[in-house]
Amino acid sequence: MAAAGAEAAAVAAEEEKRLPEGDPESGGDSEDEGDSDSSGDGEDEEKENEAEIQRLEEQLSINAFDYNCHLDLIKLLRQEGELVKLRRARQKMSELFPLTEEIWLDWLKDEIKMASESSEREKVYELFERAVKDYICPEIWLEYAQYSIGGIGQEGGIEKVRSIFERALTAVGLHVTKGTALWEAYREFENAILETAQPAPGSIPSPEQQQMLCSQLEKIHTLFRRQLGIPLLDMEASYAEYEEWSEDPIPETIVKNYKKALQQLEKCKPYEEALLGAETPKLAEYQAYIDFEMKAGDPARIQLIYERALAENCLVPDLWARYNQYLDRQLRVKELVLSAHDRAVRNCPWTVGLWIRYLLAMERHGVDHGIISEMFEKALNAGFIQATDYVEIWQAYLDYLRRRVDFTQDSSKELEELRSAFARAVEYLKQEVEERFSESGDPSCTIMQNWARVEARLCNNMQKARELWDNIMTKGNAKYANMWLEYYNLERAHGDTQHCRKALHRAVQCTSDYPEHVCEVLLTLERIEGTLEDWDAAVQKTENRLARVNEQRAKAAEKEAALAKQEEEKAEQRKQARAEKKASKKAKKNRIGDKRKADDDDEGEWGQEEEEQPSKRHKGDGDGIHLEEDMEVEAGLFGRSGPEKPDYPGNQKEKASTSRKDIPKVLHDSSKDNVTVFVSNLSYTMADPEVKLKELFESCGEVAEIRPVFSNKGTFRGYCYVEFKEEKSALQALGLDRKVVEGRPMFVSPCVDKNKNPDFKVFRYSTTLEKHKLFISGLPFSCTKEELEDVCKAHGNVKDIRLVTNRAGKPKGLAYVEYENEAQASQAVLKMDGLTVKEHVIKVAISNPPLRKLPDKPEPGRASQFAVPRQVYGARGKGRTQLSMVPRALQRQSNPMAKAENGMVQNSPATSSDPSEEPKKMSNADFAKMLLKK
């Protein structure tokens, strides 16, 4: 074995000699004239690599937490053969992040090639020890055990190899798919030892040799028996090998354990097969496997499956949180628990919950105070993405410091440290956090409130507590009743009645949200403890305050009522103007019809029909009903209607009239909503929409009917109903939403009557915080999806990019970019915010859309007080595509600076309602009759 180790060392030395590539002495033809061009190219490439290495090093000096930058630097240094710089770069990265299995194996193989002396071998051993702590990786453990065999000739070498193998089996010996390789390597090693212990042929072994042989055989027997009791793949082959190797029959207990392990393997196989067939990240498959092992209840197997899941999903904070919770509550082994917490925060440093759990675990296991404080400082520099995260980590640390204080003593070092930390926390949130996020993250001053509670309850220092509360109230909290009542409760419990009374008097004066509640508390105090003078003063103060409040509310209600009345009058004027305009247009059409009749007999027929149609409707012979149905269809499923295309002279007028005569009314059967989809935002110039859309939707299933909606002039209105034979086809058709058809994004939504389901929403994108997704604004309109992907993929693996467009398919300069995980998204924000793209400076932030402000539904009898009769456009204001339907001639000049798009003035009319009673609803037929009477 020693000879084998020497041979390996010689090979490593040869490899080291060959490491610097491109040495002119390594080949006889390096000076050939034909290689001069390639040599020049190599020099250019080398210079480019050196410049890139320098750039990456500068980038890391600015942001040491750039994971991808570390990877690129290591790759380039390894390519250039810069061994000293390469070792230093790997060392720096390993201090900040746990390294993956591939990075560790590359590092270890490079170090093994250069390790020839025993001192260098010790450094490799230390490196292996660090590698096996990052993740549980069978390949690294196997490499570690095999490398240790090379040092078998040293003192205690055999025992050291066995120790490493035993640790490897403890860590990954239960791995269903990869554990067998370790067991076999261990047995091969013991078999090699057995071969060396065999006596020479023909000689008689001594008693010592005989005893050594028996001992070695027992070791191999034990290994076989241990392995056969564990559910591993290819167990049958191991059992057959044992039968062949063993001279004695296999004991019944071993056979029983083997069969039990086989049964357990059958239970595990579906989960292993699911993992093999699944695509990364396999989270659902791993979670199912974890749930299975949790029910079985074997701690070693539960730990192993968690570690396997984390090796492939090391950037998923929730997975780390569940694993750490299991270790904290079930295993409670200090080294194991703290190691897992440390790896969690190194993988996901942006997740405040992991840092808080780590601090609690360190306190729980009695870690030194200095180490805990140092870990807290690391947490502050971790780069959280929300201001509230800093409040949470400070609160966790302050809780820890508070638990260290012995409050039976008047003064102590721990108490002073706690007070100093409270003061530093307040200052940190005010300076550092507010400067970065434009908010402190603690608007209600919870940290200062807790400080005041500690001073009042634990230190009996009400004077300091009052100073803190005075500071809290000056930060904009004096208008909230709950803040005053919190302070009052503290004074009530630990102060005196005089300060309670003073606080409530100030509260009555300052509170603006719930003054009645504060007044009631003041009167209750005086009723129990106050004198007659105190009672009179309190009654007078509360009555005066409530009188002012009621007066202010009455004025606000009058103002709102006046606004509502103004809006109602404006709406009525607009309604009359529209009616007059429509009546004048119909009269004009009638005159044109008379003229055409005089000029041409054929055209006269159509003109006569044009003229007679309103009179028929006016007489109520049934056409009015058809008009009502037609208008309802034209309004669309969600109350949207596209602008009518202007009439063109000549034959198009005749064609429109012919179409209007021949096209039947489109009726929709609401009982078929489940097999129907509503398609809108189509091009008004689409020829044969039925044929075009049938070709498009047949891929989803058999189409029963397509019902396009046309105007009275016969022009396509841009929307239709698509009815399928089966419900699953309609559901599949929803996947065509936003598909570009003739240059416009087609909207496909479920067919739902919004009059019956007013809360139904068809917006399919998330409106909540998504930490793995970015919102980018300020993009040039010419920026394509491919160009944006080229910019974003430099900072992580881009899963999806969505360019936001208007209804016409034109870009708005906005985009959503989805990364694989939060870490990549956070990195991209730091790198891309403020970047210039095609001379446009873009803004990049984590996607967190503001809440949409929905119009309140006024209660009967209180509408004048709360209902503000103006159009509510949502949190981002009026969209550019909300075109005004008021004729330009009637538009008011109240908003001369309104933005315009495609020549249309953006002036959407406001809707109004009577504040006291609900207006009478009019049907479309009623409106038609009203217009025809004008």
Side-chain angles (χ1 to χ4, degrees):
M1 298 301 291
E7 184 180 357
V11 173
E14 288 299 321
E15 289 290 336
E16 185 178 2
K17 292 177 183 178
R18 292 198 296 267
L19 218 76
E21 298 178 0
D23 190 350
E25 295 181 5
S26 63
D29 297 333
S30 61
E31 300 294 336
D32 287 353
E33 203 174 300
D35 292 342
S36 60
D37 293 338
S38 61
S39 176
D41 293 340
E43 290 179 2
D44 292 340
E45 184 179 354
E46 185 177 349
K47 289 181 181 178
E48 290 178 2
N49 288 343
E50 288 178 358
E52 181 65 12
I53 288 170
Q54 186 175 358
R55 186 192 70 80
L56 292 171
E57 288 176 341
E58 291 176 356
Q59 183 67 28
L60 288 174
S61 65
I62 298 172
N63 180 15
F65 288 91
D66 190 334
Y67 189 88
N68 293 325
C69 196
H70 281 286
L71 291 180
D72 294 340
L73 179 60
I74 289 172
K75 182 179 178 181
L76 270 178
L77 291 174
R78 193 164 191 252
Q79 180 180 334
E80 292 295 308
E82 297 280 352
L83 302 180
V84 177
K85 289 185 177 180
L86 176 61
R87 184 179 290 165
R88 190 185 307 125
R90 284 167 166 164
Q91 181 67 29
K92 286 183 178 179
M93 185 177 182
S94 68
E95 291 173 357
L96 296 173
F97 304 101
L99 305 185
T100 63
E101 180 181 341
E102 293 77 16
I103 298 175
W104 271 120
L105 288 174
D106 288 341
W107 189 358
L108 290 165
K109 288 174 182 176
D110 290 344
E111 294 292 344
I112 288 172
K113 290 177 183 178
M114 295 182 288
S116 56
E117 300 178 1
S118 59
S119 60
E120 292 174 341
R121 289 186 66 85
E122 288 300 322
K123 292 181 180 178
V124 177
Y125 282 132
E126 293 176 3
L127 201 60
F128 268 115
E129 288 295 330
R130 290 174 55 192
V132 297
K133 289 178 181 177
D134 274 357
Y135 300 105
I136 291 184
C137 300
E139 287 82 359
I140 294 179
W141 274 110
L142 186 59
E143 189 75 23
Y144 189 10
Q146 290 176 341
Y147 178 73
S148 66
I149 295 175
I152 197 174
Q154 300 175 357
E155 184 179 355
I158 293 178
E159 293 305 320
K160 185 170 185 177
V161 174
R162 283 175 177 156
S163 173
I164 293 172
F165 266 118
E166 288 294 336
R167 289 174 57 202
L169 292 180
T170 302
V172 292
L174 299 177
H175 198 298
V176 175
T177 57
K178 298 181 179 180
T180 304
L182 268 170
W183 287 99
E184 291 178 352
Y186 196 180
R187 286 204 315 274
E188 287 177 7
F189 168 73
E190 293 294 352
N191 275 316
I193 299 297
L194 179 63
E195 291 294 327
T196 60
Q198 292 286 354
S203 63
I204 300 174
S206 64
E208 291 80 7
Q209 289 178 327
Q210 189 69 31
Q211 184 179 358
M212 182 179 176
L213 283 172
C214 293
S215 174
Q216 191 62 27
L217 284 170
E218 185 59 31
K219 284 184 172 66
I220 299 173
H221 273 291
T222 303
L223 280 176
F224 267 118
R225 293 167 183 174
R226 287 169 61 191
Q227 180 183 355
L228 293 175
I230 299 172
L232 300 171
L233 288 183
D234 298 328
M235 288 186 65
E236 297 85 352
S238 300
Y239 185 79
E241 182 183 351
Y242 186 30
E243 281 185 318
E244 182 181 351
W245 181 85
S246 177
E247 297 177 356
D248 301 324
I250 300 176
E252 186 64 30
T253 55
I254 303 303
V255 175
K256 189 176 180 181
N257 290 337
Y258 166 71
K259 291 180 178 179
K260 184 178 179 181
L262 270 179
Q263 293 176 355
Q264 191 173 358
L265 177 63
E266 290 302 317
K267 295 179 182 178
C268 296
K269 272 186 178 179
Y271 299 99
E272 293 291 346
E273 291 170 357
L275 288 175
L276 287 174
E279 296 181 358
T280 305
K282 310 179 184 179
L283 276 174
E285 291 76 14
Y286 271 119
Q287 189 57 52
Y289 206 163
I290 290 170
D291 294 340
F292 165 73
E293 294 291 1
M294 290 287 281
K295 289 179 181 177
D298 186 342
R301 299 190 64 83
I302 294 172
Q303 181 191 355
L304 179 62
I305 190 58
Y306 263 120
E307 290 287 354
R308 287 177 61 185
L310 288 167
E312 295 190 44
N313 299 278
C314 59
L315 299 178
V316 180
D318 290 342
L319 188 59
W320 281 108
R322 291 196 294 270
Y323 181 40
N324 290 337
Q325 184 182 67
Y326 170 76
L327 295 178
D328 286 334
R329 295 180 179 179
Q330 302 297 328
L331 296 188
R332 302 178 185 177
V333 179
K334 178 179 178 180
E335 291 74 14
L336 188 61
V337 169
L338 295 183
S339 171
H341 279 288
D342 183 66
R343 289 185 290 137
V345 297
R346 289 173 66 200
N347 274 289
C348 308
W350 65 89
T351 307
V352 68
L354 296 178
W355 286 100
I356 293 173
R357 290 186 179 92
Y358 192 9
L359 294 177
L360 290 171
M362 294 174 79
E363 181 185 3
R364 198 176 292 122
H365 290 282
V367 177
D368 184 70
H369 171 63
I371 297 176
I372 296 178
S373 297
E374 183 180 343
M375 191 57 60
F376 167 71
E377 295 297 333
K378 286 184 180 180
L380 285 182
N381 296 321
F384 300 131
I385 60 177
Q386 295 183 101
T388 53
D389 292 345
Y390 288 92
V391 179
E392 291 181 30
I393 193 65
W394 267 111
Q395 193 56 65
Y397 183 59
L398 292 168
D399 292 344
Y400 157 70
L401 293 179
R402 195 266 308 161
R403 288 190 286 266
R404 295 181 68 241
V405 179
D406 181 6
F407 289 100
T408 59
Q409 302 178 11
D410 292 338
S411 180
S412 64
K413 179 182 176 181
E414 289 79 9
L415 179 58
E416 293 305 317
E417 184 179 4
L418 174 61
R419 284 172 171 161
S420 175
F422 268 118
R424 184 189 166 200
V426 173
E427 188 65 22
Y428 186 91
L429 295 177
K430 180 181 178 182
Q431 299 292 335
E432 303 288 337
V433 177
E434 195 164 345
E435 181 179 346
R436 179 181 171 188
F437 296 97
S438 300
E439 58 165 325
S440 68
D442 191 17
S444 58
C445 302
T446 54
I447 287 182
M448 292 183 70
Q449 287 188 47
N450 290 331
W451 188 2
R453 293 188 189 102
V454 169
E455 294 289 353
R457 297 176 183 175
L458 302 176
C459 300
N460 298 318
N461 188 354
M462 273 305 298
Q463 183 60 34
K464 179 64 176 178
R466 291 180 186 120
E467 292 176 5
L468 290 169
W469 267 104
D470 186 65
N471 197 358
I472 291 171
M473 292 304 183
T474 59
K475 293 182 180 296
N477 292 302
K479 58 185 177 181
Y480 301 117
N482 67 313
M483 298 297 287
W484 283 107
L485 295 179
E486 187 70 32
Y487 172 44
Y488 165 75
N489 290 331
L490 191 68
E491 281 284 0
R492 192 75 172 151
H494 307 284
D496 53 60
T497 304
Q498 186 62 30
H499 282 93
C500 289
R501 181 176 291 112
K502 184 178 179 181
L504 290 176
H505 276 274
R506 288 180 60 194
V508 168
Q509 191 67 27
C510 301
T511 301
S512 60
D513 55 352
Y514 298 104
E516 295 91 347
H517 193 182
V518 176
C519 292
E520 183 181 349
V521 174
L522 175 59
L523 293 175
T524 302
L525 173 69
E526 301 300 359
R527 179 176 284 112
I528 295 173
E529 299 189 15
T531 63
L532 179 60
E533 290 77 8
D534 295 332
W535 173 260
D536 291 339
V539 169
Q540 183 179 358
K541 185 142 193 164
T542 55
E543 287 179 350
N544 292 340
R545 175 59 177 160
L546 292 178
R548 288 197 302 273
V549 169
N550 291 331
E551 183 180 351
Q552 292 171 356
R553 289 174 178 172
K555 288 181 179 179
E558 290 176 4
K559 187 175 181 181
E560 290 176 354
L563 287 172
K565 188 174 181 181
Q566 290 178 8
E567 293 294 337
E568 186 181 358
E569 292 174 355
K570 290 178 182 178
E572 187 64 30
Q573 291 173 3
R574 287 192 291 268
K575 188 187 297 183
Q576 292 178 1
R578 286 197 298 268
E580 292 173 2
K581 183 80 176 283
K582 194 169 183 179
S584 64
K585 288 175 72 175
K586 285 190 176 291
K588 185 177 180 181
K589 287 181 182 178
N590 291 339
R591 289 195 297 273
I592 293 173
D594 293 340
K595 183 177 180 180
R596 289 213 305 258
K597 181 178 179 181
D599 292 341
D600 192 335
D601 291 340
D602 294 336
E603 291 185 6
E605 290 183 9
W606 298 108
Q608 183 178 1
E609 181 182 347
E610 182 93 21
E611 184 179 1
E612 288 177 357
Q613 192 171 3
S615 62
K616 289 181 180 180
R617 292 172 184 164
H618 181 69
K619 292 177 183 178
D621 59 355
D623 287 353
I625 298 174
H626 292 298
L627 177 63
E628 177 181 352
E629 293 170 346
D630 190 51
M631 292 180 69
E632 288 179 355
V633 172
E634 289 180 4
L637 181 63
F638 302 108
R640 297 192 296 259
S641 109
E644 295 184 5
K645 291 183 67 66
D647 289 336
Y648 295 99
N651 295 333
Q652 289 192 2
K653 286 190 177 182
E654 297 178 13
K655 183 178 179 181
S657 299
T658 306
S659 301
R660 183 190 61 188
K661 179 180 179 181
D662 296 337
I663 292 176
K665 308 303 178 185
V666 178
L667 302 177
H668 173 62
D669 186 0
S670 60
S671 65
K672 296 183 179 180
D673 282 351
N674 61 324
V675 294
T676 307
V677 294
F678 179 69
V679 183
S680 60
N681 202 44
L682 297 168
S683 174
Y684 303 114
T685 60
M686 179 181 287
D688 296 327
E690 293 182 63
V691 177
K692 178 78 174 178
L693 294 175
K694 188 169 185 179
E695 294 175 358
L696 189 63
F697 283 96
E698 277 182 339
S699 61
C700 303
E702 186 178 356
V703 178
E705 183 184 8
I706 294 180
R707 299 190 295 276
V709 179
F710 296 88
S711 68
N712 287 339
K713 297 188 176 93
T715 57
F716 181 46
R717 300 303 299 272
Y719 53 89
C720 66
Y721 298 91
V722 179
E723 182 182 328
F724 292 91
K725 292 285 188 181
E726 298 178 349
E727 184 176 354
K728 65 179 182 180
S729 302
L731 295 174
Q732 188 175 349
L734 297 177
L736 297 177
D737 187 38
R738 310 281 172 167
K739 181 179 177 63
V740 178
V741 178
E742 295 190 1
R744 295 170 65 91
M746 174 179 68
F747 298 163
V748 183
S749 57
C751 193
V752 176
D753 188 353
K754 290 203 72 175
N755 293 325
K756 299 178 181 178
N757 300 276
D759 297 328
F760 178 75
K761 299 289 185 296
V762 295
F763 190 70
R764 66 188 181 118
Y765 301 107
S766 174
T767 57
T768 58
L769 174 66
E770 295 179 281
K771 296 184 180 180
H772 66 291
K773 186 179 290 186
L774 305 184
F775 173 69
I776 303 178
S777 60
L779 288 167
F781 292 162
S782 60
C783 182
T784 64
K785 186 175 180 179
E786 291 74 18
E787 291 172 340
L788 183 58
E789 185 176 6
D790 290 339
V791 175
C792 298
K793 70 182 181 182
H795 311 294
N797 190 4
V798 177
K799 292 182 65 177
D800 184 45
I801 292 180
R802 176 166 65 92
L803 295 177
V804 181
T805 61
N806 60 16
R807 294 175 65 87
K810 296 180 180 179
K812 289 186 173 184
L814 309 174
Y816 289 91
V817 180
E818 182 180 356
Y819 282 92
E820 270 196 346
N821 50 62
E822 299 175 18
Q824 295 178 0
S826 302
Q827 193 67 39
V829 171
L830 296 174
K831 294 292 188 62
M832 294 172 56
D833 190 30
L835 189 69
T836 301
V837 176
K838 292 185 178 181
E839 300 181 356
H840 285 68
V841 178
I842 64 174
K843 294 182 179 180
V844 184
I846 297 295
S847 176
N848 188 17
L851 295 176
R852 294 178 177 268
K853 297 179 181 178
L854 300 176
D856 295 331
K857 297 179 180 179
E859 299 177 9
R862 298 185 64 182
S864 62
Q865 183 175 349
F866 297 105
V868 179
R870 64 167 63 93
Q871 180 68 40
V872 178
Y873 296 111
R876 292 186 176 175
K878 178 178 179 180
R880 294 183 178 179
T881 59
Q882 294 175 338
L883 300 179
S884 172
M885 302 308 293
V886 180
R888 294 186 207 172
L890 299 179
Q891 287 181 353
R892 301 177 66 86
Q893 300 298 321
S894 59
N895 189 14
M897 300 301 292
K899 294 182 181 179
E901 182 179 6
N902 298 330
M904 294 294 290
V905 179
Q906 308 288 319
N907 185 21
S908 178
T911 59
S912 63
S913 60
D914 193 322
S916 59
E917 61 180 3
E918 200 173 311
K920 179 182 178 182
K921 294 183 179 178
M922 297 180 68
S923 66
N924 290 335
D926 294 333
F927 276 114
K929 291 176 182 179
M930 180 183 72
L931 294 175
L932 294 172
K933 289 179 181 179
K934 294 289 184 181

